[in-house]
Amino acid sequence: MASLQIIDPEELEWQGGYRAPFCSARGDVRSGMAVPDGFSQFVLYADLGPGAEVGWTDHHGDEGVFVLEGEVEVAGTVIPAKGAAVIEAGAPASLRATTDARLLHLGSTVPGPQSESVIGPPANDHPTVHAFGPDGKAVDVYDDIHQAFYADSYCDGCRIALFRISGPGPYVAASHIHTVDELITVTEGALQVGPDTVGAVKTVAIPAERRYGFRTSGPWEFVNFRLDASWYTAAPGSVPIRERIGAGTETS
């Protein structure tokens, strides 16, 4: 069974400039990037000074940028901390830091749209950029658990999922399976995943079909990123649930 990988930004090689594979930058920028073994997606952490800019041409895949600290402007919209931008594959874009800012940038290592998505290719004729505040495009709340979705794989123009999920206190997530690789970045508190403790701000890479659960001992929050639509299976033998905004009991 494929193992989990934990990425600690403090252990990465940080350099001047913006190290995402399909971006350029100018101004006061430094970053560190990792590509988990066996994954076709990257995670990048970056610090930007006021006025620093990051740019995309039309050569890139679906990408998401989550604002960990500070404030940036994308597509004419100011995005504060806990907000995010979704850059559809092939969409030219620019991001400018309006304050000191720390970013979490996640995306595909392969340019172009998800043409082989399990739910069919996106309608990518006119790729665009979406900018969201902390509540994203939609919020789901259940049992005191708060989810803010920036993308749920079912956007007309892209197939990534990018969402923030949090809870106010101790929580146990029973073991389960997702059908695609995922990158979970803890932004507050810590997750106990098997024998591993994943604290803030670290990323755990979880391979598709790997059964896992997690527990927390206090308030917690993480950001989840996937490149394609996923199905969730709880206990072995239970019916898979299609994961999307408001999925509820919708099944495959």
Side-chain angles (χ1 to χ4, degrees):
M1 178 182 294
S3 62
L4 307 183
Q5 301 169 64
I6 298 175
I7 300 160
D8 183 348
E10 299 300 323
E11 297 178 356
L12 297 178
E13 180 184 357
W14 285 63
Q15 297 179 357
Y18 203 80
R19 301 184 66 189
F22 307 112
C23 290
S24 60
R26 63 181 182 180
D28 180 12
V29 180
R30 60 188 297 270
S31 62
M33 189 188 79
V35 178
D37 293 341
F39 278 54
S40 58
Q41 58 210 78
F42 67 85
V43 54
L44 176 138
Y45 313 85
D47 288 335
L48 279 64
E53 297 183 355
V54 177
W56 291 256
T57 66
D58 61 358
H59 182 72
H60 61 86
D62 292 334
E63 300 185 11
V65 178
F66 180 82
V67 181
L68 291 166
E69 299 175 14
E71 185 178 273
V72 302
E73 183 177 1
V74 176
T77 299
V78 173
I79 304 176
K82 300 186 188 292
V86 174
I87 300 97
E88 295 180 358
S94 63
L95 176 152
R96 182 177 66 88
T98 57
T99 67
D100 286 322
R102 171 157 285 196
L103 306 181
L104 171 69
H105 185 169
L106 306 133
S108 173
T109 58
V110 179
Q114 290 283 91
S115 58
E116 297 183 0
S117 169
V118 295
I119 59 172
N124 197 250
D125 295 336
H126 303 286
T128 189
V129 178
H130 307 276
F132 302 104
D135 285 340
K137 65 190 294 185
V139 170
D140 279 349
V141 180
Y142 61 94
D143 296 335
D144 290 329
I145 306 303
H146 180 282
Q147 292 187 85
F149 285 88
Y150 312 101
D152 74 341
S153 298
Y154 289 82
C155 172
D156 288 342
C158 70
R159 287 292 174 262
I160 62 171
L162 178 66
F163 58 94
R164 176 171 57 90
I165 180 169
S166 61
Y171 179 73
V172 176
S175 71
H176 58 280
I177 288 173
H178 302 279
T179 56
V180 298
D181 296 340
E182 57 186 340
L183 296 177
I184 293 177
T185 301
V186 178
T187 51
E188 294 180 15
L191 304 185
Q192 187 71 33
V193 186
D196 298 311
T197 300
V198 186
V201 174
K202 298 179 183 179
T203 300
V204 56
I206 303 177
E209 306 293 347
R210 166 65 186 254
R211 178 167 288 278
Y212 74 98
F214 68 85
R215 66 178 61 241
T216 71
S217 59
W220 55 278
E221 178 184 82
F222 63 76
V223 174
N224 196 313
F225 177 79
R226 305 174 187 142
L227 283 177
D228 201 0
S230 174
W231 275 258
Y232 165 95
T233 302
S238 60
V239 176
I241 297 174
R242 181 163 48 170
E243 298 184 88
R244 61 185 302 184
I245 295 170
T249 58
E250 183 178 9
T251 58
S252 58

